[in-house]
Amino acid sequence: MTKPRKRTAILISGRGSNMMKLVEAARTPGYPAEIVAVISNRPEAEGLAWAAARGLPAIAIDHKAYATRAAFEAKLHTALMDHGTELICSAGFMRMLTGGFVDRWRNRQLNIHPSLLPSFPGLDTHQRALDEGVKIHGCTVHFVRLEMDTGPIVAQAAVPVLAGDTAATLGQRVLAAEHHLYPHALALVASGLAQVSDENVLISDGFNQEQALFSPSLRAAVT
Ligand code: GRF
């Protein structure tokens, strides 16, 4: 008997390019998650129109229409439950979540962040990486905890910083890595191969641990 796929909702606030990659991945045979809803706190988010055009439930919950964060999150939670959500992927979702929401979805909510956490949490990660002169930058998929950009790390992709990079060129290279990493990390979690234990993510025995890492060679990045 085939395992039921994990019912996954994606939270976005804008462009939604990571969301698009998750949707595409979930349409490939054997992928362990299905996308049951795309939800945005910004009704005008480009990603929402993309999802709607593909027949996915695309839901706008405008945070500005709610007096408190708790009221917004109650509505969000209801929408998630209405779609039988088991896992959440935040993908460029730009709202801080309260402890109440984070606790309800503990170990069931992933986020992607454009740096190798715990380096460079927060905004402007690419410029900050350039300012610090790091030679390896990248992106991280992690389980969500209350403190922003913290939580058990599922998978990371390393991206080289090249001479002459600007925040824009480096950001493009990182985004390309994000597009590979997020579908891979969701598959690890949805299949049960990656699980939180003691605030670390363990990848099941018998599974190639290296598959939780993406380290493109410098040569590949230069050519
Ligand atoms: C990505 O770089 C993601 O890591 C960050 O916000 C950006 C969202 O881009 N959290 P997109 O909306 O997925 O195109």
Side-chain angles (χ1 to χ4, degrees):
M1 212 177 77
T2 51
K3 261 188 163 182
R5 296 187 295 156
K6 284 276 183 213
R7 297 179 62 82
T8 303
I10 307 175
L11 306 185
I12 63 169
S13 296
R15 179 178 60 182
S17 68
N18 278 290
M19 174 273 294
M20 294 171 194
K21 296 297 175 186
L22 292 173
V23 167
E24 284 167 14
R27 289 187 168 174
T28 58
Y31 194 80
E34 66 177 310
I35 307 306
V36 294
V38 175
I39 304 177
S40 173
N41 65 308
R42 286 182 52 238
E44 69 280 14
E46 301 129 71
L48 210 52
W50 184 95
R54 275 147 194 86
L56 286 163
I59 303 158
I61 303 176
D62 187 350
H63 65 273
K64 293 198 226 77
Y66 297 86
T68 62
R69 274 184 201 277
F72 165 72
E73 289 172 2
K75 179 74 187 171
L76 178 58
H77 186 76
T78 301
L80 291 165
M81 298 314 286
D82 285 349
H83 288 84
T85 304
E86 299 172 286
L87 278 176
I88 302 173
C89 287
S90 293
F93 180 65
M94 302 302 281
R95 291 302 290 168
M96 295 278 291
L97 294 166
T98 68
F101 187 91
V102 170
D103 286 349
R104 271 173 151 175
W105 291 95
R106 189 179 176 85
N107 297 343
R108 296 188 297 151
Q109 184 177 10
L110 298 172
N111 179 48
I112 187 155
H113 181 74
S115 78
L116 288 175
L117 291 172
S119 293
F120 311 122
L123 298 174
D124 295 326
T125 55
H126 310 310
Q127 188 56 53
R128 286 158 60 209
L130 290 173
D131 292 346
E132 293 292 346
V134 300
K135 303 300 180 213
I136 299 285
H137 186 38
C139 49
T140 303
V141 174
H142 63 95
F143 284 97
V144 171
R145 294 292 182 263
L146 184 55
E147 203 182 324
M148 198 177 57
D149 302 327
T150 67
I153 290 170
V154 180
Q156 295 188 300
V159 173
V161 180
L162 302 180
D165 260 340
T166 62
T169 59
L170 180 56
Q172 268 177 0
R173 198 174 308 118
V174 172
L175 190 64
E178 291 183 45
H179 291 164
H180 291 288
L181 186 71
Y182 212 171
H184 183 77
L186 173 58
L188 285 176
V189 172
S191 64
L193 283 169
Q195 283 179 350
V196 179
S197 166
D198 237 351
E199 287 302 88
N200 269 315
V201 172
L202 297 184
I203 311 283
S204 289
D205 283 352
F207 186 75
N208 182 356
Q209 303 281 324
E210 283 180 21
Q211 290 191 36
L213 303 170
F214 280 78
S215 302
S217 75
L218 276 174
R219 186 185 301 277
V222 174
T223 51

